């Protein structure tokens, strides 16, 4: 099959919507446009029924017992805000301490920072060199003031999948609420809030082939019944937890995306892992001084993150980006030229943190695209290294750390 350019391989920043999702959404713009809270006419009933279906579709995907546990929001960022701020406010009497990790996505970290400014105490648990959290460290961080543990399910840069069930079990044993940012995991790998002891879960549609601008927060209703203070006040929609007219077409899209994901996940994850492994083997066997970031086993099937010593991630992207969309560091931080804080948290040097490239595959990538991206990446890295004096010195056996750079 011929390759069409540009190739999109940045599917952890967003995914293309599945055409079946768009098709399901369309009637809700111009034909079935009722307000789901209009209880007194068929337009409202129809819209409400569509929202209920979507709630059930998402509940089924994440193993929620009751569709009422799904609260629709505008996306992952809002869900994380609602979970952390909502719990901090609601349980203030009980305690003011939150445990989270250093590799959360910006939303999680920035909300934690704001809560600190407002008087909360936050412990940021470090990660091991392979990106995994040591569950014991979470246990040690918990105090009698802890009201919430928040750990991301799978990382957006390195794809590392945490032992969520073990953290859920620990929190349950200590009677502490557990939130997970599962934005990168839902629809890609099995997630089950019951089996994994999750009390609150954030997810978004645009990372699972659904539309942008819609997400959800799962809020457990039983064992324990979780209560959260709203961050948006108004008409009392979503059982008072998130006011605002429900965007029915987007919700229908999220529901359809969840239904498709549930159906195709077993096969799709195997196919994407095979293609990812092929890409990884091609690159690592042709480029020296290239280091895989994150745990090799406990990794999202569509994620590949490699640091290429002696080249800047941004230069690699510039060499590739007319034909192929990849990412260096997280898409959310690539507007700044800070080295990736996730790669740095693994203990990598600033140089290696600056040289990481994330390849993330999606449902519609073909084998030909993967082969093409592999070949082109190898070419670009080799060309950049030919121009790199540091690479040349290293190849000559010079220990770069021993060089005394002359100050101007
Ligand atoms: C791990 C993670 N959490 C949260 C978000 C934010 O989600 P949204 O873009 O729906 O606000 C993202 C977005 O990429 C993410 O990767």
């Amino acid at each position: 099959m011929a390759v069409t350019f540009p190739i999109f391989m940045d599917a952890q920043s967003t995914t293309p919507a599945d055409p079946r999702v768009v098709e399901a959404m369309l009637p809700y713009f111009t034909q079935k446009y009722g307000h789901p809270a209009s209880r007194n006419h068929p337009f409202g009933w129809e819209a409400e029924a569509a929202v209920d279906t979507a709630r059930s579709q998402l509940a089924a995907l994440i193993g929620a017992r009751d569709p009422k546990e799904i609260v629709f929001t505008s996306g992952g960022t809002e869900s994380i805000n609602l979970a952390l701020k909502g719990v901090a406010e609601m349980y203030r009497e009980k305690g003011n301490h939150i445990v989270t990790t250093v590799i959360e996505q910006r939303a999680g970290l920035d909300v934690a920072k704001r809560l600190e400014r407002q008087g909360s105490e936050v412990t940021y648990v470090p990660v091991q060199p392979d990106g995994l959290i040591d569950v014991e460290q979470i246990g040690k961080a918990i105090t009698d003031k802890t009201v919430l543990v928040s750990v991301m399910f799978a990382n957006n840069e390195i794809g590392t999948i945490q032992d969520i069930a073990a953290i859920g079990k620990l929190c349950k044993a200590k009677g502490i609420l557990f939130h997970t940012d599962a934005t990168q995991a839902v629809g890609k790998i099995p997630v089950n809030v019951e089996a994994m002891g999750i009390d609150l879960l954030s997810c978004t549609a645009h990372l699972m082939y659904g539309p942008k601008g819609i997400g959800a927060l799962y809020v457990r209703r039983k064992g324990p019944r979780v209560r959260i203070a709203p961050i948006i006040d108004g008409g009392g929609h979503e059982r008072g937890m998130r006011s605002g007219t429900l965007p029915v077409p987007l919700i229908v899209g999220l529901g359809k995306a969840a239904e498709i994901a549930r159906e195709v996940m077993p096969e799709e994850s195997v196919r994407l892992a095979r293609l990812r492994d092929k890409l990884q083997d091609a690159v690592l066997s042709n480029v020296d001084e290239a280091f895989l970031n994150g745990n090799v086993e406990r990794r999202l099937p569509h994620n590949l993150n490699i640091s290429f010593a002696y080249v800047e991630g941004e230069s690699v992207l510039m060499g590739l980006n007319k034909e192929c969309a990849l990412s260096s560091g997280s898409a959310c931080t690539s507007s700044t030229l800070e080295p990736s804080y996730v790669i740095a948290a693994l203990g990598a040097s600033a140089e290696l943190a600056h040289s990481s490239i994330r390849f993330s595959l999606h449902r519609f990538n073909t084998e030909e695209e993967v082969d093409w991206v592999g070949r082109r990446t190898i070419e670009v890295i080799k060309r950049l290294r030919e121009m790199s004096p540091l690479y040349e010195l290293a190849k000559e056996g010079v220990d770069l750390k021993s060089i005394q750079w002359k100050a101007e």
Side-chain angles (χ1 to χ4, degrees):
M1 207 203 287
V3 173
T4 324
F5 296 100
I7 299 167
F8 187 70
M9 220 170 267
D10 191 18
Q12 281 174 279
S13 67
T14 193
T15 53
D18 190 303
R20 292 167 287 182
V21 166
V22 179
E23 199 188 328
M25 290 168 64
L26 286 177
Y28 291 90
F29 287 101
T30 52
Q31 294 153 30
K32 307 178 180 187
Y33 48 78
H35 192 305
S38 299
R39 290 268 157 75
N40 47 3
H41 56 67
F43 290 87
W45 304 332
E46 187 175 54
E48 191 185 26
V51 169
D52 286 347
T53 302
R55 230 184 267 288
S56 301
Q57 286 163 321
L58 182 58
L61 179 64
I62 63 168
R65 230 183 287 175
D66 183 350
K68 288 201 193 85
E69 296 178 309
I70 304 293
V71 175
F72 291 115
T73 66
S74 63
T77 302
E78 187 188 327
S79 297
I80 295 164
N81 270 265
L82 180 55
L84 271 62
K85 292 176 182 169
V87 167
E89 185 180 331
M90 186 59 85
Y91 294 86
R92 192 152 286 158
E93 302 281 279
K94 197 167 168 234
N96 68 343
H97 181 233
I98 292 171
V99 177
T100 188
T101 82
V102 294
I103 58 160
E104 300 299 302
Q105 199 257 2
R106 276 253 78 94
L109 293 177
D110 286 356
V111 174
K113 292 267 149 61
R114 179 175 296 279
L115 290 173
E116 277 187 281
R117 290 196 294 276
Q118 293 171 350
S120 290
E121 283 172 28
V122 182
T123 303
Y124 300 87
V125 174
V127 289
Q128 303 173 107
D130 64 355
L132 281 177
I133 304 285
D134 177 358
V135 179
E136 250 180 55
Q137 295 269 335
I138 303 269
K140 283 190 188 140
I142 291 173
T143 70
D144 55 2
K145 290 218 198 95
T146 309
V147 287
L148 182 71
V149 168
S150 182
V151 176
M152 74 192 320
F153 205 116
N155 185 265
N156 43 307
E157 290 192 46
I158 54 177
T160 310
I161 303 167
Q162 303 300 338
D163 192 348
I164 292 299
I167 302 170
K169 198 169 159 199
L170 171 82
C171 292
K172 203 102 302 153
K174 296 198 180 253
I176 290 163
L177 297 180
F178 175 38
H179 166 253
T180 184
D181 169 6
T183 301
Q184 293 284 349
V186 169
K188 309 294 174 50
I189 53 171
V191 171
N192 190 302
V193 290
E194 287 301 327
M196 295 172 171
I198 297 164
D199 298 313
L200 295 131
L201 174 145
S202 295
C203 64
T204 195
H206 79 89
L207 282 161
M208 48 189 277
Y209 310 100
K212 293 170 184 54
I214 185 76
L217 179 66
Y218 158 83
V219 185
R220 176 177 290 281
R221 276 167 74 89
K222 229 188 203 169
R225 183 181 182 92
V226 179
R227 292 173 342 114
I228 50 171
I231 53 175
I232 297 176
D233 295 306
H237 310 83
E238 298 298 83
R239 292 167 308 288
M241 286 180 267
R242 204 283 189 175
S243 287
T245 299
L246 293 176
V248 181
L250 298 179
I251 290 173
V252 168
L254 170 55
K256 186 69 186 173
E259 183 191 84
I260 297 170
R262 200 161 158 241
E263 198 181 299
V264 305
M265 189 192 300
E267 214 177 293
E268 185 167 273
S269 56
V270 170
R271 185 184 88 89
L272 291 180
R274 184 182 71 76
L275 291 179
R276 184 270 316 272
D277 290 347
K278 194 177 181 204
L279 179 61
Q280 176 180 314
D281 291 347
V283 173
L284 293 184
S285 60
N286 282 286
V287 179
D288 62 345
E289 308 256 11
F291 308 95
L292 187 72
N293 292 311
N295 188 288
V296 186
E297 306 294 329
R298 297 190 56 89
R299 187 168 44 142
L300 289 171
H302 54 296
N303 168 278
L304 174 62
N305 190 307
I306 301 178
S307 285
F308 298 99
Y310 313 111
V311 296
E312 287 273 330
E314 289 303 308
S315 318
V316 180
L317 293 194
M318 278 199 283
L320 278 161
N321 64 10
K322 285 206 186 69
E323 294 137 330
C324 170
L326 302 175
S327 148
S328 73
S330 127
C332 314
T333 56
S334 62
S335 57
T336 65
L337 267 181
E338 293 283 307
S340 156
Y341 66 86
V342 174
I343 312 288
L346 309 179
S349 64
E351 288 80 14
L352 280 182
H354 261 303
S355 74
S356 72
I357 296 291
R358 180 185 70 183
F359 305 82
S360 26
L361 280 64
H362 62 85
R363 181 172 291 164
F364 307 105
N365 281 131
T366 64
E367 183 138 11
E368 288 78 6
E369 287 178 335
V370 171
D371 292 342
W372 193 94
V373 170
R375 278 197 306 276
R376 189 84 178 105
T377 305
I378 296 163
E379 269 169 35
V380 168
I381 304 279
K382 288 194 169 162
R383 185 159 45 78
L384 288 170
R385 287 208 175 144
E386 274 165 22
M387 299 187 293
S388 159
L390 288 182
Y391 181 67
E392 205 173 307
L393 285 171
K395 286 288 111 179
E396 284 166 9
V398 177
D399 176 5
L400 297 182
K401 287 197 195 83
S402 70
I403 299 177
Q404 299 273 310
W405 301 103
K406 191 165 167 267
E408 283 296 306

